[in-house]
Amino acid sequence: MYRSVLYRHAPLPMQEILLALRARVRRALREGGLFRMAMEEVNATQWLNTEALETLQVQRLRALACHARRHIPHYRDSWAKAGIDPASFQSLAEFRQLPLLDKPTVRTLGNRLWDGSWPDSPGRSSGTTGSPLQIHQDLMAVVWENAFSWRQLAWAGFRAGETRAWIRGDLIVPVKQDSPPFWRLNRDERMLLVSSYHLAPRHAPAILAALTRHNPTLIEAYPSSIGFLARWLEEHGTEYAGSSLRAIVTSSETLFDADRLRIQRRFGAKVFDCYGQVERVAATAVCEFGYRHALTDYGWFETLPRPDGEGEIVGTGLYNQVMPLFRYRTGDGVILENTSQPCPCGRAFPRLKATLGRCDDVVETPSGRRIGRLDHLFKGIQGVANTQIVQDRPDRVRILLQPLGNKLSEATLARVRANARAYLGTDMTVVLETVAEIPQTAAGKRQAVVRDC
């Protein structure tokens, strides 16, 4: 939001009005009659038994695949060449003859995976593995995504109209600002937006006091953001003072058990962690009994075995007709729950021990700010195949950029440098390096952020 010239130069009361107006427009687009229909359906499908869920998946996959074979160039050509006719498929096993997709392939195919005749809502993958990706969705897919998000909030006990807090990477105040407030109130949604770029020890008391005054019933946050506040509370031998908090919903990073327990202990509320991607191919969520489920009414959820005993999540979303991705390798890990016992919540969704994607380091500035999820630096940047941020000194970061072509333009480099300044502040030296390839970990992953100092 802070990148908007109007917002940036507006006084604080006007900024909060602009936040409320943006929320109202978003709600008008996402929560009309189509949303109410989608909401009714996802509230019903969560109670289907295993057989009925599989029938639902096959029906939706077949309809989506038939649409793709008619309207999307890559599927039309490659499936015809391979003699694949999804109209005849009657089981998930038959859909396994569709070839796997991965991020490099999707990037290479580009618009051949896109039904350009539909109006769409383009987005970019977060690039947590260092590889942002252009994704297209139709409005109905956005509405369905919103319905599943609201169902997760309902699992956490939240109801529309209650107060919320949001600590998820929104740039709402300038990074160089060193005095409160580090938050803004979106009155339209009764939501306090807190800057996760100001989570330094000296700012923690003010931020926690603001949360206490707002007194939300729910906090939505990155694990690293709410985890920082929980560690600060633990180090100072105290607990969050708000009286209404019932639940904390985390996503977009791996939540480790030790952090979850610390957050629950210091904030006095259950943590409901969920997993998804901008590609919208697979999702997991934690139910009210604390068990993680693969949401098989959201997408077809498969796993590929890995040498380390984990599985890689392979997903096929069920709702996006503009750019459906069939059997998409996410690169994220999962540990399956080896049990046939039904969940006490009564839902038949498969149970998982953990999802393991997005294990990134954070940058720590000389002033003590800890900044995670720096994928925002690269959103909207063109011509970059992969990226990595390396902090090799307390006061320096190196931003590694792997070009899609031969070289990056000066305009691209200038934009990355400006974005880095906006998010990291002026107390860090920023060095841009164009590299032929981003180094991978032993497990074959690219870490978005590496701190080595």
Side-chain angles (χ1 to χ4, degrees), residues 1 5 16 19 33 43 46 68 96 99 101 109-110 163 241 281 342 374-375 383 413 450:
M1 190 68 182
V5 174
E16 295 191 337
L19 288 169
N43 282 334
Q46 67 179 319
R96 289 193 176 93
L101 282 173
L109 289 170
T163 54
V281 296
L374 280 164
D375 52 288
L413 295 174
V450 176

Side-chain angles (χ1 to χ4, degrees), residues 1 6-21 172 181 183-188:
M1 190 68 182
L6 177 60
Y7 179 89
R8 190 163 61 243
H9 293 285
L12 189 153
M14 180 56 69
Q15 288 182 341
E16 295 191 337
I17 290 172
L18 291 172
L19 288 169
L21 288 173
I172 51 172
W183 50 85
R184 296 291 185 268
L185 179 61
N186 166 10
R187 289 182 171 82
D188 187 72

Side-chain angles (χ1 to χ4, degrees), residues 176-210:
K176 64 182 180 181
Q177 181 175 315
D178 199 43
S179 61
F182 306 114
W183 50 85
R184 296 291 185 268
L185 179 61
N186 166 10
R187 289 182 171 82
D188 187 72
E189 296 180 301
R190 304 184 68 194
M191 179 189 291
L192 187 72
L193 290 91
V194 178
S195 170
S196 57
Y197 299 96
H198 291 81
L199 294 174
R202 66 183 182 280
H203 300 323
I207 289 172
L208 288 164

